[in-house]
Structure formats: C-alpha cells, structure tokens
Amino acid sequence: MPEGSSTPWSYLLIRLLFKFVLKIFYGTIVVENTEFIPKTGQPCIVCANHSNSLTDALLLATSVPSRARNMLRLTAKSTQFGHRTFTSWLIESAGTVPIKRRKDFADGTPDNSEAMDKLMEALELGDAICLFPEGMSRYHPTIAPLKTGVARIVSDVLTRNRHNPDFSISILTCSITYMHRQHFRSDVLVTFNPPMTFTPKDNPELLAPVDYNEVRSLTARMHQQISARTIDAPSWDLVRCAKLATRIYVPLGTRMSLGDYVRVTRTFVEAFKASEDAQNKLGNGATPGDDVSPEATNEDVELAQLRRDLKRYQDQLVRWGIKDDRIRRPLSRRTILTRLLIRLTWSCTLLLLSLPGLALWTPVFITTFVAVHNFKKTGPIWDTWDEIAQYKLVYGLFSGLGVWAAAVLLTLPFAPVTMVLVPALMWMTLRWLEDAVSAFRAFTALVRLLRVGKGTLGSMRATRADLHRRVVGLAVGTLGLPEDPETYFLESGGREKGRVRSRWESGAKYFSVRRRRKRDWNETLRLYDKVDYPEEGQ
C-alpha cells in the first residue's frame, strides 16, 4: 500500500497558522464526519463546493485532522502563481498544483496535461488531493454544474493501474456551508460525506475506453452528495425565507446544533424550490395531468403563498428592526425598560473593559476595511465578493502580526511576557467586544420595540401565529421533520452546539475563554441582525 508523500514544513506552518486565523475570523467552525476521511496512503480526491475562493481550500486543509491525513495537496487557479505576494508564496510553498481555467486564456484552450500528470502521480503515491469541480469560485447561493474532471482523473488513474485489480482510489465529497461567508465572527459548517471507492476489479466501466455516460453519471453522484448536505438555492431570497421558516419551526438559536440548523433550512429550501419548479413547469405550457397532479399543484400554490407571506413578515421585522423572537415571546413595557437599562450598562461595561485591547485591534480593523473597500471596487458582486474573506484573512494576519511585533519591540525589556500577553489580551478583547456588540444590538432592538404600536404588534403576532401553524404543518405533515422540534433538537447535536454544555464550561466564570454568548447562528460582529444578502445586480 502506498505511504503518501512527506509533508512539507511550509504546509505544516500554513495549516497551523491559518487554523488559528480561521478560528479568529469565524466564530464557530463545526466539522462533521471526520471518520469518513480515508487514512494516509489511500489515494483520495477531496471535492467540495466552491463559494469562498482560497478560504475554501484553507478551511479544508485545517478541517482534515493530521491523524487522518498528513497533508492535503491543494490546487489553485494558475493566475495566483508567479507573483511577489504573500498569497502567491503561500500556495506555491505548500505544494499547490496550478490549474489553468478557460476564462483566463484568450483562446479558451488551456493545457492542463502537466497538472493532471502531477495530480495522478500524487494519487498513486497515496496522497489526497483537493479539487473544486465547479471549476470556479463565485458568490452565489447555488452550486454550479460540476465539471467532469474529477471523474476523468479517477478513470485515468484506474486505467494506469489496471494491472493491479485491487488498487483503490476514493472520492471524498465535502459540503461547506457559510452562514455569512465574508463577515467577521460568522459561522461555518464543514460536512464530510461517505467516500466513494473504486477499483479496476469492481469498476471496469471506468477503465479506458470509457463510456462518457459513466463519467457524467459519477459526476452527477458527486453533485448530489455535495448539494444534499448544504443550502443549495437558486436565489438569496429563497435562502432568506427558508431561514425564517427554520426559526419559526424550531426557535432554539444555538442550542440547536449548526448541522441540524443547516439541514432543516435545506429541507425548507428544497420544498420551496420544488414548488417553484412545478409552477414554472405549469406556466411553461404543461398541464396538471402531465407530470404534476392537481393535488400537488394545489400544494405548490400554497407553498408559493407561504413563501410570499414569510417574505412579507421578514420585511416587516427588518423595517421595525426587531427579531422574530420578540414577536413570539412578547415583553411587557416594564420588562423592556428594565432590560434596556441592563443591556446598556452591560454593553458600556464590556466596551470599557475592551478599550486597552481595542487599541491593539484598531490597526487590524482599519487595514482590513481599507483593503476590502478598495477590492470591492474592482468588479461586480458575483466576481469579487467570493474573495472578501480571503482578503480579510490575509490582511488581518499581516496587520495582526505587525501589531504583535510592534508591541514586543516597544516593550523589549519585558518581551517574554509581552509575547504571550498581547495575543491573550487581543483574544479576550474579541470575546468581550462580541458580547458588548450583542448587548448593544439587544438594546437597540428593545428601543425599536417600544416604537412599535400595540396594534402593529398585535397584527404581527397574529401573522406569526398563522405562519407558525402553516410552517409546522409543512414541516411535520409534508417534509417528515420531528413533531416536537424544540425537544428533539435540544437533545441532539451534542457538543457541536454553539453554547457550552459540560459542567466545567457552564460553571465557568463569565470571563472564561471557553464561554460563548452567541444566541443565533445568523449572528455576526455587527450592530444589526444580518438577515439580508446583496443583490446579484449590484
């Protein structure tokens, strides 16, 4: 059995460095099903959806435990190579293989034969390689049709080793779900799917000369696996409605695991998407008697109406600046006033506590803001926003290291203490700042709640009650979701939930680095609730 290539020191450094940076940038990174990852020495192609440029590759490299694979050989677009930049050095020194894209060449016919040979040689050595079969990264809520390159590599490797009938190669698909991929302290779910393993003996249909239908069939299986465990929607509006349906159906916040939250949201997305497809089909000349029964058509109409009503309700919440939970659990005026005082006091206290550390964070925030602001001007949303997180990670890393080095130099006599104290202070400041922002966000929401008249609140409460009845009916009666979601999802999910659960963690003092205060998987480090997405045309 192959033993796999040795791990370059630069790869170890990059994985360690960016594991730290990713944990700072994203509030929670949940990795599921690492037991599915084939061990080092088993040829493996890791494939994932691609919506966040270089960040996707870094996330996969840091999500694969070193005890399972010593390294993950990455690929990147060829235009990232050969520059005197940190990003270029980063990808080259880690053994990354350049892939030429058609869109980057005037004649549209790039030659990737050398890259493919390198990848196949790595697989035959027992390495794991990382490919993104969509072919390009893009800021879009749906997964693009997959290219057939991965299936063709499997076919070529099996053909090259047909003399060894027991030679095996695996495809390990992975589904990556970002709550808000470009926003500081948002959350990420990485789900590894069961691997597909192929051998010359068991898969003669993939040996040359291969029927291209077999290649397409394998590619379709990959697409189905990846999309089945992430939120794959044709529009941001549909994602927005599905997330609201999830909050209405199971309003547990982060006491529900991120994986369960994503899967329930995806279930609603698929239901809305199916009804939309059926109505479009009927609108294009089909009749209910063709492929859609009259009963199904009525259900589709009801689903479409539910989606419109959810949108109107969410628009109303955004207009007033309040959350659904405040409609679900109304507060008396006295309670609101009491909480206003508590939230404002707590926010100011934490902000004052954070001031020394904020002096260290300010250069980092300014540097990343200016870099991203300038980068956004270079193109439309669909072509640039997928690289925002990458820019924030790189510029945040450099500026953060600069702040640390400057602090050490300015306190040279106490450098051994400062080297440890500065990162610790910055980390705790980030924790306190998150809670200060969260408390102030709750304060402003309560202020807005006072502005909403009793009549409007009563109307919204009645609207929500009707939506709750219809959403639960859809979830339980049609989609097969649990009948008692608040009990079911409260008990499932284990330690992957957003809130700490062990006795030590739950009993720890407020200032513990282990404590998390996030109440909603949609939260980011913003003074407002993040529920909307930019339009593609902007």
Side-chain angles (χ1 to χ4, degrees):
M1 179 176 176
E3 298 182 357
S5 303
S6 58
T7 311
W9 69 268
S10 56
Y11 180 87
L12 294 174
L13 174 63
I14 289 167
R15 182 165 62 185
L16 178 64
L17 191 60
F18 276 96
K19 190 166 189 174
F20 172 71
V21 174
L22 284 166
K23 282 184 176 294
I24 291 176
F25 186 79
Y26 290 112
T28 306
I29 300 176
V30 175
V31 183
E32 296 181 322
N33 304 333
T34 55
E35 68 275 10
F36 288 148
I37 302 173
K39 302 297 183 183
T40 298
Q42 166 65 31
C44 177
I45 305 177
V46 180
C47 304
N49 50 310
H50 199 19
S51 63
N52 210 5
S53 194
L54 184 59
T55 308
D56 291 331
L58 295 172
L59 189 64
L60 285 176
T62 56
S63 296
V64 174
S66 56
R67 65 179 181 274
R69 304 291 314 198
N70 64 328
M71 67 175 293
L72 182 62
R73 191 176 293 277
L74 304 173
T75 56
K77 56 186 179 183
S78 59
T79 53
Q80 296 267 28
F81 291 73
H83 304 294
R84 294 182 179 179
T85 62
F86 176 75
T87 302
S88 185
W89 171 85
L90 181 74
I91 62 179
E92 290 177 22
S93 60
T96 307
V97 177
I99 301 294
K100 298 176 182 177
R101 304 183 304 174
R102 289 183 180 178
K103 62 176 289 185
D104 297 326
F105 292 83
D107 58 4
T109 56
D111 182 12
N112 278 310
S113 56
E114 183 179 351
M116 293 300 106
D117 286 339
K118 286 184 178 179
L119 292 177
M120 286 190 284
E121 289 170 6
L123 288 168
E124 290 171 338
L125 289 172
D127 288 348
I129 66 173
C130 177
L131 292 172
F132 295 100
E134 286 179 89
M136 64 180 293
S137 171
R138 62 186 192 138
Y139 190 88
H140 199 276
T142 191
I143 299 173
L146 304 190
K147 311 293 185 184
T148 58
V150 172
R152 286 188 281 116
I153 289 176
V154 170
S155 175
D156 290 344
V157 172
L158 288 177
T159 300
R160 283 166 52 139
N161 292 272
R162 66 196 313 163
H163 61 280
N164 180 5
D166 294 322
F167 174 88
S168 66
I169 180 173
S170 299
I171 296 178
L172 177 70
T173 59
C174 178
S175 307
I176 304 175
T177 309
Y178 298 93
M179 292 299 97
H180 297 283
R181 71 197 77 180
Q182 77 277 21
H183 288 308
F184 193 36
R185 304 303 290 169
S186 61
D187 306 302
V188 190
L189 175 69
V190 180
T191 303
F192 290 103
N193 304 310
M196 296 179 280
T197 303
F198 308 90
T199 65
K201 178 176 63 178
D202 296 332
N203 303 96
E205 72 280 2
L206 293 176
L207 301 178
V210 64
D211 184 349
Y212 200 68
N213 288 327
E214 298 292 342
V215 172
R216 283 197 291 263
S217 175
L218 177 54
T219 304
R221 286 171 59 194
M222 292 165 49
H223 191 287
Q224 193 279 329
Q225 266 200 348
I226 294 172
S227 64
R229 290 170 178 83
T230 188
I231 300 172
D232 182 25
S235 68
W236 291 117
D237 179 68
L238 199 152
V239 174
R240 183 178 186 256
C241 291
K243 284 187 174 182
L244 176 59
T246 299
R247 287 196 296 275
I248 290 175
Y249 166 64
V250 51
L252 288 175
T254 53
R255 289 182 294 167
M256 178 187 191
S257 75
L258 180 57
D260 285 338
Y261 174 80
V262 167
R263 284 183 282 274
V264 171
T265 302
R266 181 195 176 276
T267 301
F268 282 116
V269 164
E270 293 301 309
F272 292 140
K273 192 162 62 173
S275 70
E276 187 175 70
D277 291 344
Q279 288 199 93
N280 288 341
K281 190 170 184 179
L282 287 172
N284 289 334
T287 64
D290 292 339
D291 292 319
V292 185
S293 66
E295 292 79 10
T297 302
N298 292 335
E299 290 178 4
D300 294 331
V301 171
E302 290 176 4
L303 273 177
Q305 185 60 51
L306 174 60
R307 181 179 164 187
R308 287 192 291 269
D309 292 343
L310 285 168
K311 183 180 185 304
R312 278 195 291 268
Y313 177 61
Q314 182 66 76
D315 289 344
Q316 200 171 11
L317 291 174
V318 171
R319 185 165 62 252
W320 287 108
I322 56 179
K323 297 182 72 167
D324 171 67
D325 197 54
R326 289 282 68 87
I327 304 299
R328 180 176 75 95
R329 297 186 300 182
L331 301 174
S332 67
R333 190 176 185 84
R334 181 177 179 179
T335 301
I336 293 175
L337 293 173
T338 302
R339 290 192 180 185
L340 276 173
L341 180 61
I342 294 172
R343 297 288 187 269
L344 183 59
T345 302
W346 191 230
S347 178
C348 292
T349 301
L350 288 174
L351 188 60
L352 287 172
L353 191 64
S354 303
L355 287 178
L358 282 176
L360 298 171
W361 274 107
T362 299
V364 179
F365 292 153
I366 291 176
T367 301
T368 53
F369 175 82
V370 172
V372 170
H373 180 73
N374 292 333
F375 175 69
K376 284 181 180 179
K377 297 177 181 178
T378 63
I381 283 175
W382 58 267
D383 195 39
T384 56
W385 279 49
D386 62 311
E387 296 186 43
I388 288 178
Q390 168 188 320
Y391 267 71
K392 288 181 177 179
L393 288 173
V394 172
Y395 280 91
L397 172 61
F398 268 119
S399 54
L401 289 175
V403 167
W404 175 76
V408 171
L409 290 173
L410 290 173
T411 59
L412 204 53
F414 311 99
V417 176
T418 310
M419 289 175 68
V420 178
L421 184 61
V422 168
L425 178 60
M426 292 182 73
W427 175 252
M428 290 308 300
T429 298
L430 183 58
R431 280 280 193 226
W432 299 332
L433 181 61
E434 275 191 289
D435 281 355
V437 170
S438 177
F440 190 77
R441 186 167 58 235
F443 168 79
T444 56
L446 289 170
V447 170
R448 296 187 192 104
L449 191 61
L450 287 174
R451 294 168 47 206
V452 184
K454 289 184 178 180
T456 301
L457 281 175
S459 173
M460 293 178 71
R461 206 163 292 133
T463 298
R464 191 197 185 278
D466 177 62
L467 286 173
H468 180 266
R469 176 186 60 79
R470 293 157 66 189
V471 166
V472 171
L474 169 66
V476 177
T478 304
L479 304 179
L481 292 172
E483 188 172 352
D484 186 7
E486 295 190 45
T487 299
Y488 177 85
F489 291 112
L490 193 62
E491 295 173 352
S492 68
R495 67 181 193 73
E496 293 180 342
K497 295 182 183 180
R499 283 183 177 269
V500 293
R501 291 179 57 80
S502 73
R503 180 175 297 178
W504 183 89
E505 291 178 8
S506 60
K509 293 181 179 180
Y510 176 78
F511 299 109
S512 166
V513 296
R514 303 287 301 276
R515 188 177 176 96
R516 290 175 179 169
R517 298 281 293 173
K518 188 168 286 189
R519 292 183 172 86
D520 189 330
W521 287 122
N522 266 326
E523 284 185 21
T524 63
L525 194 62
R526 288 287 188 279
L527 292 173
Y528 55 89
D529 291 313
K530 185 67 184 172
V531 296
D532 292 319
Y533 302 88
E535 296 295 332
E536 288 246 354
Q538 291 181 3

